[in-house]
């Protein structure tokens, strides 16, 4: 038997760590570039970057959700976050 609640939105949302952004080549970093790098599956529709790990290179993040800590770390590395 099934217990509890299982969100259907969870199947289409994923989280990426700051340290995983090093694996993405090119700029800007968006949903398509994350899929090409193999960090997320093809069926994922929304991604949020969380502040786990560190980032050294300046990157441009476009169209992805970003936590406050991750945004501060990206901007401190010389990058920017676009909506």
């Amino acid at each position: 038997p099934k217990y509890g609640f299982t969100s259907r939105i969870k199947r289409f949302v994923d989280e990426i760590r700051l340290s995983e952004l090093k694996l993405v080549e090119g700029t800007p970093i968006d949903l398509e570039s994350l899929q090409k790098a193999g960090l997320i599956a093809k069926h994922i529709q929304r991604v949020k970057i969380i502040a786990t790990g560190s980032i050294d290179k300046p990157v441009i993040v476009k169209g992805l959700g970003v936590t406050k800590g991750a945004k501060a770390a990206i901007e401190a590395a010389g990058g920017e976050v676009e909506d």
Side-chain angles (χ1 to χ4, degrees), residues 15-78:
E15 291 180 345
I16 298 292
R17 295 178 201 92
L18 271 178
S19 56
E20 292 176 330
L21 292 181
K22 298 174 188 174
L23 303 174
V24 180
E25 295 180 10
T27 188
I29 295 177
D30 56 1
L31 199 60
E32 185 177 319
S33 64
L34 291 174
Q35 289 174 344
K36 286 182 182 176
L39 294 174
I40 59 172
K42 297 287 183 190
H43 65 276
I44 298 296
Q45 298 174 359
R46 286 190 290 172
V47 173
K48 189 166 199 174
I49 299 173
I50 58 174
T52 303
S54 62
I55 187 164
D56 303 330
K57 65 179 185 176
V59 295
I60 298 173
V61 177
K62 189 172 186 179
L64 303 176
V66 182
T67 62
K68 288 181 184 179
K71 184 174 182 178
I74 290 169
E75 291 174 348

